[in-house]
Amino acid sequence: MSEVFKGSFTQQEPIPEDGIEAAVDVMRSGRLHRYNTAEGELSQTALLEQEFAAQVGAKYCLAVASGGYAMATALRAVGVKPGDKVLTNAFTLAPVPGAIAAVGGVPVFVGVTDQLVIDLDDLAAKAGQADVLLLSHMRGHLADMEALMALCDDAGVIVIEDCAHTMGASWRGVPSGTQGKVGCYSCQTYKHVNSGEGGLFVTDDPEVAARAVILSGSYMMYEKHLAGPPAEAYAQIRYETPNISGRMDNLRAAILRPQLRKLDAQRVRWNERYFAIETGLRDTPGLTVIERPADEVIVGSSIQFLLQGWSATNVEAVLARCLKRGVELKWFGGAEPVGFTSRYDSWRYVDAPAMPKSDVVLAGIVDMRVPLTFSLEDCALIARIIKAEVSAVYQSG
C-alpha cells in the first residue's frame, strides 16, 4: 500500500512561552503603540530594533509593519521617485515588484540561473538602466554576494536586499542583508520568525535610516529609537520627508524578541530537515537537486528542485499525484498565478520583455515548504513520496 503523509504544510510551531508572557504583559499595560511608554520605560519595539541590529552587525534598525513596507521604505529612502527604473529578479514573489510599483517605480527584470539566483551576466548587461537593484534572495538562495556587490559598485547601482527568506543566512560569514545599502526582512507567519505580519529594516547609512524612521511615522519622537541614527541626521530630513505610517507595535515586538534569540538554533533544526529531504531526493530520475555553494549558510525553511525539460502536463501530474499522497508542492512555471507562485510575466502592470533563458528555468522550478513541525521521519517519508511519483511520471513518459 502506498505511503501517505498526514502532516500540515502550513502549521507553525507555537510562539515561545516567554514571548507569550511578554505579549500578555504588553496587553495588560495597554501601551501597544511603540511611542506610548511610561516614565523610564523602553518599548518592546525599540529593544527589538537594538537587539536585531546587534545580531546582524548593522548600525541602525527599524521595525515596521511588513517586509513589503520595509522594501518600499528602502526604495523611498535611497531616493527612488515615480518613473525611475529599478532592477530586480525575474524569479521572486509579488511583494518585490509590488514594492517598486508602490513608489511609482518601474521594475526591470533580471534573469535567473539554474541555481535559482540572479544572473550576474544579465545584471551586468542591464546595470546601466537603473540606479537601484532590489535584490531578492528568493526562497533562500544567495548569489555570489562579493561578485554582485563589486559589479553594482562599479556600475554605481545601490543594492537593497530582500531577505524575507534569508534571515539568519550568510555568505562567507557575512549576514544576509548587511552587504547592500539596506536589508529588508519579513516576520510574516511563514518566515523565520513569526509575528503574523511585520518587517525589519537595517542599514549603516544615517541619512537613509533617518528618512526611514520619519517615513514610518515617528511624529518627531525619533529620539526613542535605540537603534536609530544620531539626532543631527534628522536636522533637515524631518522637514522634507512625508509620514507614510507603517510602524511595528509593541505586541508584535514582544512576540519576536524571544524568537530572534533562538534563530541560530532554529536554523540548525531547519537545515536538518532540509538536508534530510535533499538526501532522499538525490538520484531520482528526471529530478535535479539544487546544489548549495559551500560559501552559503542557508536556513532551509523551504526546498526547491528542478524538473528540467518537462512538459507542463507532466509537471502538473507530479503535483497532483504527490498531493493525493499528502505532499503539497508548488510550481513556478504555471501560466497563471496560484497561491504565492507567479512568474515575472504574471505582473501585467509591468511591460516586461520576454526572457527565454529564464523561462526555461522557471518552467521547471518546484517548491515545498519545510515547517519545523515536521519530524526527520516526516522528511524522509516526504522525500520517498516525491521520489516515487516523479519517477513514475518520468518513466511513463
Side-chain angles (χ1 to χ4, degrees):
M1 185 174 179
S2 295
E3 295 177 295
V4 175
F5 177 64
K6 296 184 179 178
S8 169
F9 283 80
T10 57
Q11 179 59 54
Q12 308 304 304
E13 291 192 306
I15 301 300
E17 285 300 318
D18 46 353
I20 293 171
E21 290 173 10
V24 170
D25 287 345
V26 169
M27 288 189 285
R28 285 190 174 127
S29 78
R31 295 189 294 277
L32 275 66
H33 192 277
R34 67 164 299 156
Y35 299 120
N36 180 205
T37 53
E39 185 69 30
E41 181 184 30
L42 299 174
S43 75
Q44 289 282 341
T45 311
L47 290 167
L48 170 70
E49 292 166 342
Q50 185 181 56
E51 291 162 2
F52 189 68
Q55 189 165 338
V56 299
K59 288 183 179 178
Y60 312 117
C61 177
L62 176 68
V64 294
S66 71
Y69 182 90
M71 288 187 285
T73 298
L75 291 166
R76 288 188 174 98
V78 302
V80 174
K81 296 181 174 53
D84 287 354
K85 292 182 177 180
V86 178
L87 300 160
T88 196
N89 309 53
F91 176 46
T92 189
L93 296 183
V96 176
I100 298 170
V103 303
V106 179
V108 175
F109 292 113
V110 181
V112 59
T113 73
D114 58 9
Q115 292 300 109
L116 307 192
V117 297
I118 195 165
D119 184 332
L120 295 186
D121 290 336
D122 196 31
L123 177 60
K126 294 174 178 174
Q129 297 184 34
D131 295 327
V132 176
L133 165 65
L134 178 51
L135 172 65
S136 178
H137 300 307
M138 177 61 172
R139 303 313 273 165
H141 294 270
L142 291 170
D144 182 334
M145 287 302 296
E146 290 178 354
L148 183 143
M149 290 305 303
L151 189 163
C152 289
D153 288 345
D154 287 347
V157 172
I158 295 169
V159 177
I160 296 169
E161 297 182 63
D162 162 32
C163 305
H165 305 149
T166 55
M167 180 187 284
S170 61
W171 181 266
R172 293 188 179 175
V174 180
S176 181
T178 63
Q179 289 183 275
K181 177 75 75 174
V182 181
C184 302
Y185 307 80
S186 174
C187 308
Q188 186 255 16
T189 286
Y190 298 119
K191 304 305 189 296
H192 299 160
V193 292
N194 172 18
S195 58
E197 290 290 353
L200 293 161
F201 170 117
V202 300
T203 185
D204 286 347
D205 187 308
E207 291 187 9
V208 169
R211 287 192 195 99
V213 169
I214 300 297
L215 283 162
S216 74
S218 73
Y219 293 104
M220 303 306 162
M221 288 184 277
Y222 45 79
E223 74 282 354
K224 293 191 175 186
H225 286 250
L226 300 178
E232 55 266 27
Y234 298 93
Q236 186 61 33
I237 285 169
R238 61 184 180 149
Y239 296 114
E240 61 191 25
T241 305
N243 176 329
I244 305 175
S245 294
R247 297 169 298 271
M248 182 181 284
D249 58 78
N250 286 327
L251 188 57
R252 287 193 175 106
I255 291 168
L256 288 171
R257 290 178 65 208
Q259 293 181 64
L260 283 168
R261 291 193 288 269
K262 293 175 58 180
L263 184 56
D264 288 346
Q266 297 292 73
R267 179 180 62 232
V268 171
R269 296 179 61 217
W270 257 307
N271 290 351
E272 288 174 340
R273 286 150 180 77
Y274 178 98
F275 287 113
I277 295 168
E278 183 195 79
T279 298
L281 293 180
R282 288 191 178 278
D283 303 317
T284 301
L287 181 151
T288 301
V289 168
I290 309 298
E291 303 293 348
R292 307 306 291 255
D295 289 325
E296 178 187 36
V297 172
I298 74 166
V299 183
S301 56
S302 69
I303 190 166
Q304 296 73 42
F305 58 84
L306 294 175
L307 300 179
Q308 293 175 308
W310 284 49
S311 69
T313 299
N314 284 349
V315 175
E316 289 169 340
V318 167
L319 268 62
R321 291 170 69 113
C322 287
L323 185 59
K324 195 171 182 180
R325 296 178 64 180
V327 175
E328 297 178 23
L329 302 176
K330 305 293 184 182
W331 179 40
F332 279 92
E336 291 294 322
V338 178
F340 63 78
T341 65
S342 47
R343 302 188 325 204
Y344 70 95
D345 54 3
S346 300
W347 303 310
R348 295 176 189 170
Y349 56 87
V350 183
D351 183 16
M355 305 178 69
K357 284 177 62 178
S358 292
D359 291 342
V360 170
V361 176
L362 292 167
I365 300 173
V366 179
D367 173 275
M368 188 184 77
R369 286 193 180 110
V370 184
L372 287 174
T373 47
F374 289 178
S375 67
L376 295 179
E377 291 76 17
D378 289 337
C379 294
L381 170 58
I382 288 165
R384 288 197 300 273
I385 290 170
I386 296 171
K387 189 181 192 86
E389 298 305 335
V390 168
S391 299
V393 175
Y394 183 74
Q395 290 164 7
S396 69

